[in-house]
Each structure stands twice: as structure tokens, then as C-alpha cells.
Amino acid sequence: MAFVGIIIAGAASDLYGEEIWDPLTILGRWTGHSGARAGAAFCGLSFTLAQLGSNISANCISAANDLNAMFPAVRDD
């Protein structure tokens, strides 16, 4: 991930004349034509989906541990 950030900052330096590390700032500059706006919208949707996916999966682990502690398995051996 750090390597991708370095590549993006280098490309932004070439395109915009300054190093930009924040992906949302770069997306904010994509306002030239409809294709750029559509690309920014799709990137924004992918950021939203990634955020939702990581939060849902992280919260499922916590809930599973809580339920496991509340209702432990009883084994009759």
C-alpha cells in the first residue's frame, strides 16, 4: 500500500506540480469532463465499498466473540 501511495504522489507531482498524498484531493481535481467525473464517482464508490466491507467484517468478529462467550458450547463426553 505504501508503494502505491508513492507512485500516486509521484504521478500527482508530474500532473499537478505538487505532491498530493490524499486520494480524495486527487479525485477532487477530476472535474474536467464527464469521463473524469464518472471515474471520480466510481473511485468514490469503491472507497465506500471498501470502508463498509472492512467495518462489517471487523464488527462480525467482535460480535462472534461476544456470542461465543455468552453461550459456550457444552460437551457431554
Side-chain angles (χ1 to χ4, degrees):
M1 197 62 183
F3 179 71
V4 172
I6 292 169
I7 296 298
I8 290 172
S13 176
D14 290 343
L15 288 173
Y16 303 118
E18 60 181 319
E19 292 180 351
I20 303 172
W21 288 90
D22 184 18
L24 297 176
T25 304
I26 293 174
L27 292 179
R29 294 183 182 231
W30 294 355
T31 57
H33 51 85
S34 63
R37 287 190 302 272
F42 286 126
C43 287
L45 287 173
S46 69
F47 288 152
T48 303
L49 183 64
Q51 188 71 29
L52 283 172
S54 64
N55 284 331
I56 288 171
S57 64
N59 289 330
C60 286
I61 292 170
S62 174
N65 287 336
D66 291 342
L67 288 172
N68 196 18
M70 285 175 48
F71 305 109
V74 178
R75 297 184 185 204
D76 293 329
D77 289 334

